[in-house]
Amino acid sequence: MPTYLPPFDIADDALAKQWRQWQPKDFAANGGNGKNDKNGKHADKDNGALHLKDYDPGAKPFSCGDKARDKARVEELALELDALQDLLYADRRYKLLVVLQGMDTAGKDGTVRGVFGRMSALGVHAVGWKAPTELERAHDYLWRIHRQVPGAGELTVFNRSHYEDVLVPVVNGWITPEQQRQRYAHINDFERLLAETGTVVMKFMLHISKDEQRQRLQERLDDPTKHWKFDMGDIQVREQWDAYQRAYEAFLPATHTPWAPWTIVPADSKTHRNLMIASVLRGVLQRLELRYPPGDPALEKFTVK
C-alpha cells in the first residue's frame, strides 16, 4: 500500500477556489497547505480562531441559481460518483472515509441518501454513531471508531463521528480543557495514521441556522410519519445551541489538517448541501487517478464455449 499524499489540490482550479472559501480560513488562505505544523498543531498566534457567523448557512455558492437544475445536477453527480466508487473498489489502492458532522436536523441522513444513494451497497458502508455502549466505554474513545473505518477499495460514511467526543463532553463539562486539547491531538494523529496508510479522509460540517433547525424540528412534530425522528433530547441540545457552536468553532480549526481537511457546508438548502458535497467528492476522487487493475494476458485469447 503506497504512502498516501493528500490530493486536496483539486485539478479544477475554479472548483478548488470555491472549495477553499468554505474551509477554515487558516488552511484555505495558504492554498490548502495550512498553518498546521507536522504534528497537526496550529502555528498561528490565535490558534486558528474561527467564527461560524462568518459562514452564511443560507449561502449557495455551488448553485447555478435554478433549484430544478441544481437537483438535476445532484442526480448527475450521484451517477458519476457511483462510477468512481466502482473504480475505487476495483483499484483497491485507496479507501475513502467521509465524515458528516452537524447539529440535529442538519441533514446527515439526507446527504447519505442524496449523495451516496446511487452507489452499490457492496462497496459502501454507512455508520450511524450513537452514545457508546458499555463495551465501548471500557476502551479508549477511538477504539470503536477504528473498527469501522473502510478497508481497501471501500467507501465508509460516518453519520456523526469521533467528533462527538469533542462536542458533547465539552459542552457538558465532562472533560477538562487539557483533556479537550489532548483529544484534538489524538484525533489528528489518528487521522494522519489513516491518511498515511491509504485512507482519503473527507470531513463535512453541515452548517445550518438556528431558525432553520426550528423549522425542521417543527416539521417532525407536525407530520405523524416523522414522529419517530423526534427526540425530546433534541430540544435540550437546542437550548445549548450557543455552547455547541463554540465547541465547533474550537475543534474545526484545531483538527483541520492537510491530511484531513474540514469543509463547512452551508446547509439551510438541502439541495445545495448535496450539490456542494457531491461536487467536492467528485473532484477529490478524480484527483486520485483511479484505475482498473491490469487484465490477465492469458485471458485475451480465451473464448467461452
Side-chain angles (χ1 to χ4, degrees):
M1 179 65 66
T3 299
Y4 172 61
L5 299 176
F8 299 131
D9 54 338
I10 292 177
D12 183 328
D13 290 339
L15 175 61
K17 183 178 179 180
Q18 269 188 311
W19 182 29
R20 285 195 293 268
Q21 292 173 354
W22 292 91
Q23 295 173 346
K25 298 300 184 185
D26 68 302
F27 187 78
N30 291 274
N33 295 319
K35 295 181 182 177
N36 304 66
D37 65 19
K38 65 181 181 179
N39 296 314
K41 297 178 181 178
H42 285 265
D44 51 322
K45 62 183 179 181
D46 63 356
N47 196 35
L50 177 145
H51 304 287
L52 284 173
K53 64 180 177 58
D54 295 334
Y55 299 83
D56 180 7
K60 301 178 183 180
F62 282 65
S63 173
C64 72
D66 182 290
K67 185 173 183 179
R69 288 173 59 192
D70 283 349
K71 284 188 172 182
R73 183 58 183 150
V74 171
E75 181 65 16
E76 291 173 3
L77 286 166
L79 291 173
E80 291 184 49
L81 287 171
D82 175 43
L84 285 166
Q85 183 270 320
D86 184 69
L87 196 50
L88 176 76
Y89 189 75
D91 187 301
R92 297 298 177 100
R93 287 180 299 152
Y94 298 103
K95 314 123 181 182
L96 177 59
L97 174 62
V98 178
V99 172
L100 302 178
Q101 194 69 45
M103 296 292 286
D104 295 322
T105 77
K108 298 176 286 293
D109 291 346
T111 301
V112 173
R113 289 193 300 270
V115 177
F116 304 95
R118 287 286 190 172
M119 296 180 181
S120 168
L122 290 174
V124 178
H125 181 46
V127 183
W129 293 101
K130 305 295 183 183
T133 65
E134 182 177 352
L135 174 63
E136 290 167 344
R137 287 196 300 271
H139 294 78
D140 68 86
Y141 68 97
L142 288 173
W143 176 77
R144 65 175 184 158
I145 305 297
H146 207 164
R147 298 174 72 207
Q148 296 285 2
V149 298
E154 294 179 344
L155 188 162
T156 296
V157 184
F158 280 179
N159 182 332
R160 300 186 188 274
S161 67
H162 41 299
Y163 286 95
E164 292 295 305
D165 292 294
V166 287
L167 273 173
V168 180
V170 170
V171 169
N172 292 289
W174 299 339
I175 60 176
T176 66
E178 177 60 26
Q179 289 172 319
Q180 180 181 347
R181 289 189 291 271
Q182 285 178 337
R183 289 192 177 192
Y184 293 160
H186 295 159
I187 288 171
N188 286 341
D189 287 341
F190 170 62
E191 291 176 348
R192 182 170 58 180
L193 164 66
L194 295 179
E196 290 179 351
T197 52
T199 302
V200 182
V201 183
M202 298 295 299
K203 303 182 297 192
F204 297 95
M205 186 270 184
L206 309 186
H207 182 36
I208 63 168
S209 63
K210 190 174 183 180
D211 187 59
E212 179 66 21
Q213 188 196 57
R214 180 193 63 76
Q215 293 181 47
R216 293 183 185 183
L217 287 171
Q218 190 62 49
E219 287 174 2
R220 293 180 180 181
L221 289 170
D222 294 342
D223 184 348
T225 66
K226 294 183 179 181
H227 283 182
W228 65 274
K229 289 186 174 184
F230 186 83
D231 188 322
M232 285 303 296
D234 296 343
I235 300 302
Q236 179 183 352
V237 171
R238 178 171 167 78
E239 292 172 352
Q240 298 172 299
W241 178 274
D242 291 342
Y244 272 95
Q245 295 294 289
R246 289 192 296 271
Y248 273 105
E249 290 172 343
F251 82 63
L252 285 169
T255 59
H256 181 57
T257 60
W259 54 86
W262 275 106
T263 302
I264 299 170
V265 180
D268 277 4
S269 165
K270 299 175 183 179
T271 299
H272 175 268
R273 174 200 70 212
N274 292 348
L275 175 63
M276 182 170 176
I277 292 173
S279 297
V280 170
L281 283 175
R282 184 192 63 160
V284 169
L285 282 170
Q286 288 177 330
R287 177 65 177 79
L288 288 175
E289 299 181 353
L290 300 167
R291 58 180 183 263
Y292 289 108
D296 184 348
L299 299 178
E300 291 181 5
K301 297 182 179 181
F302 187 84
T303 301
V304 178
K305 298 181 180 179

